[in-house]
Amino acid sequence: SPEDGQKMGLQGMINDMVMRCDVDLVQYAPRDLNAVKGADKVKARRALAQLITALEDKTAAHGAGQHGAPGAGQGIAKLRESVFKEAAMLDIPTLGITGTGGSGKSSLTDELIRRFRLDQDDTLNIAVIAVDPSRRKSGGALLGDRIRMNAINGSHIFMRSLATRAAGSEISEALPEALAACKVAGFDLIVVETSGIGQGDAAIVPLVDVSLYVMTPEFGAASQLEKIDMLDFA
């Protein structure tokens, strides 16, 4: 309320909101992989989201939940092993989209999804994993990739944002887990959009089947093209 704002101030309200949201979500993760394969698509997608959240929690994946009871992470660790084991037996095409910041990766991803939906009469099950950078100073991430996506609202489309959680990286450490979980969930196509890179990193390449590098029309000096390692792979 306005009265709360007068008493607490902006930072006080932010701190209060963060405190109320500080809940260990690992406890809601499914106990087996059947939950993400269920016939009820709404429940299966929710289970998939909860599974990715648990896998993304590095502390849980290494033996104990961040806030939960000791041993809660052991179950997640076993689930993680099952996810990778089952995903290794599946052959689901994965497209990695990367490029410089502001080149239009999110808009292009959205357009690709729109055309897949139109061309295939909205029958393909498509997962979109979008990675956004974390700020070095605050540790927060805007997760602004979904701002540009207008064609992902459909029962056959699953969209998940991941923060890099580390400066200087184009992908999240949890991306392999998220990809494996989406494969187990039975999608027909997985599209990964990275947070954007400069002249160096090509971390997305070993995780996907096809790499797509998005460039701005004005790339600067021609010699810059010779430095972009990613172009060789794309």
Side-chain angles (χ1 to χ4, degrees):
S1 67
E3 291 74 25
D4 290 328
Q6 290 174 342
K7 286 186 290 186
M8 302 168 69
L10 177 59
Q11 191 59 49
M13 290 190 291
I14 292 173
N15 293 343
D16 180 69
M17 184 181 296
V18 170
M19 180 188 70
R20 292 170 185 266
C21 293
D22 190 15
V23 179
D24 180 24
L25 298 177
V26 174
Q27 60 185 311
Y28 301 111
R31 294 291 173 256
D32 60 68
L33 298 181
N34 291 327
V36 302
K37 307 175 192 173
D40 188 328
K41 195 166 287 187
V42 174
K43 289 184 178 179
R45 296 291 185 263
R46 180 179 291 274
L48 174 60
Q50 292 167 334
L51 174 61
I52 292 175
T53 295
L55 293 173
E56 191 181 13
D57 187 299
K58 288 190 293 185
T59 309
H62 288 84
Q66 190 171 11
H67 307 287
Q74 268 96 11
I76 301 300
K78 290 181 181 178
L79 198 59
R80 180 178 181 273
E81 290 179 17
S82 301
V83 167
F84 277 112
K85 186 176 180 180
E86 194 162 323
M89 297 185 291
L90 300 171
D91 186 19
I92 296 172
T94 307
L95 169 66
I97 299 178
T98 189
T100 52
S103 59
K105 297 184 297 296
S106 296
S107 298
L108 178 60
T109 300
D110 183 62
E111 183 64 19
L112 287 173
I113 299 301
R114 188 181 77 86
R115 296 197 185 202
F116 270 122
R117 294 185 67 180
L118 290 172
D119 186 61
Q120 302 295 322
D121 294 323
D122 216 6
T123 57
L124 282 182
N125 289 304
I126 304 174
V128 182
I129 302 175
V131 183
D132 242 23
S134 295
R135 295 174 182 266
R136 186 190 299 267
K137 187 174 181 181
S138 67
L142 180 62
L143 302 182
D145 35 56
R146 60 182 69 196
I147 294 172
R148 313 237 187 263
M149 296 187 187
N150 305 297
I152 59 174
N153 185 24
S155 60
H156 294 282
I157 312 297
F158 174 82
M159 195 274 181
R160 173 64 176 244
S161 290
L162 296 177
T164 59
R165 300 196 179 198
S169 174
E170 66 166 303
I171 62 173
S172 163
E173 286 185 10
L175 183 57
E177 282 88 346
L179 285 172
C182 288
K183 289 181 179 181
V184 172
F187 286 98
D188 300 306
L189 171 67
I190 302 173
V191 180
V192 184
E193 181 207 333
T194 78
S195 61
I197 57 177
Q199 296 176 347
D201 209 343
I204 189 64
V205 175
L207 301 178
V208 298
D209 298 307
V210 177
S211 302
L212 176 63
Y213 188 84
V214 185
M215 296 181 62
T216 56
E218 302 294 333
F219 53 78
S223 60
Q224 297 298 314
L225 293 175
E226 298 298 325
K227 302 178 187 178
I228 301 175
D229 188 38
M230 185 63 212
L231 279 179
D232 293 334
F233 297 104

